[in-house]
Amino acid sequence: QLQLQESGPGLVKPSETLSLTCTVSGASISSSSYYWGWIRQPPGKGLEWIGIINYSGSTYYNPSLKSPVTISIDTSKNQFSLRLSSVTAADTSVYYCARRGPGRWFDPWGQGTLVTVSS
Amino acid sequence: DIQMTQSPSSVSASVGDRVTITCRASQGISSWLAWYQQKPGKAPKVLIYAASSLQSGVPSRFSGSGSGTDFTLTISSLQPEDFATYYCQQANSFPYTFGQGTKLEIK
């Protein structure tokens, strides 16, 4: 059964870099049929799409994000990662990783991890 | 960016009721629309994809319809486990965008 699990620091200081990793189990991240993505949700608010990456490293990002975003993939570890630079308090959110299927919907999702930006 | 507008933002209903949530896109998105259910403290779960296709394992009381700019999610007979927040998501073009959510509460 496919499962995704986010990991990384729960607290990041303003102006620093937020780094999260999503570990995929139960399927190979190298499948050409799928993209792997990040979505976030500020406490008590709605969902915001951050970006996606495929097995070859092809990426699409949300240009609306104020903090520069980089998503990378490590097929040898069956993981993909998110880096958000120069974060501010507005980047405080629950961050989810998810698989994007050929039909472009996200399923399944990881359980999510809360990242707080605060000094 | 394509704006997704859901209505209502919240709705109160009783077990057994029929409920309809609408989602309007600011421009045509063909059938590139998914619906998600999110319960407190949990990740969203896909219910409907391609506007009207039921995800495997999702009860048949959930249905979706629409294409172009106007879409609906219908729950034919509310069950206690259906009280949650529902989001639509367009995948016609980047950046993907979500509606603001509809909170379904118990009356």
Side-chain angles (χ1 to χ4, degrees):
Chain A
Q1 181 183 357
L2 176 64
Q3 291 185 312
L4 290 81
Q5 177 69 58
E6 306 89 350
S7 59
L11 180 64
V12 179
K13 290 182 169 54
S15 80
E16 295 191 345
T17 297
L18 181 159
S19 295
L20 295 173
T21 295
C22 182
T23 300
V24 178
S25 59
S28 172
I29 204 170
S30 300
S31 170
S32 60
S33 300
Y34 299 102
Y35 275 78
W36 305 88
W38 291 96
I39 301 106
R40 69 181 183 180
Q41 185 172 37
K45 297 189 178 179
L47 300 163
E48 181 176 38
W49 177 76
I50 299 173
I52 55 173
I53 190 167
N54 75 353
Y55 74 103
S56 67
S58 177
T59 54
Y60 297 91
Y61 298 131
N62 188 342
S64 300
L65 267 66
K66 293 183 171 53
S67 300
V69 177
T70 303
I71 298 175
S72 58
I73 194 164
D74 187 337
T75 55
S76 68
K77 295 182 178 179
N78 229 38
Q79 295 175 333
F80 63 104
S81 298
L82 171 71
R83 286 172 57 90
L84 217 58
S85 305
S86 306
V87 296
T88 70
D91 294 307
T92 294
S93 289
V94 175
Y95 286 78
Y96 295 101
C97 59
R99 184 182 71 174
R100 193 213 78 167
R104 306 184 191 173
W105 68 93
F106 290 96
D107 179 69
W109 297 52
Q111 65 184 26
T113 188
L114 174 63
V115 180
T116 302
V117 179
S118 175
S119 55
Chain B
D1 298 4
I2 298 175
Q3 305 299 317
M4 305 300 292
T5 304
Q6 288 181 231
S7 60
S9 295
S10 65
V11 57
S12 295
S14 301
V15 172
D17 283 355
R18 179 184 181 91
V19 170
T20 297
I21 299 169
T22 66
C23 180
R24 175 165 288 177
S26 59
Q27 63 190 75
I29 60 170
S30 185
S31 296
W32 292 107
L33 185 102
W35 288 98
Y36 299 87
Q37 176 193 66
Q38 186 179 34
K39 296 183 178 179
K42 300 295 186 181
K45 168 188 149 183
V46 67
L47 302 173
I48 302 286
Y49 61 92
S52 60
S53 296
L54 190 68
Q55 173 72 337
S56 175
V58 174
S60 59
R61 63 181 179 273
F62 291 93
S63 64
S65 65
S67 68
T69 59
D70 294 308
F71 302 85
T72 60
L73 172 70
T74 299
I75 311 172
S76 60
S77 178
L78 275 173
Q79 298 303 301
E81 60 269 27
D82 300 337
F83 292 94
T85 301
Y86 293 84
Y87 293 93
C88 61
Q89 176 233 326
Q90 70 82 17
N92 180 74
S93 61
F94 296 115
Y96 294 159
T97 45
F98 291 86
Q100 81 278 16
T102 295
K103 187 172 184 179
L104 178 51
E105 298 175 302
I106 301 173
K107 185 181 286 184

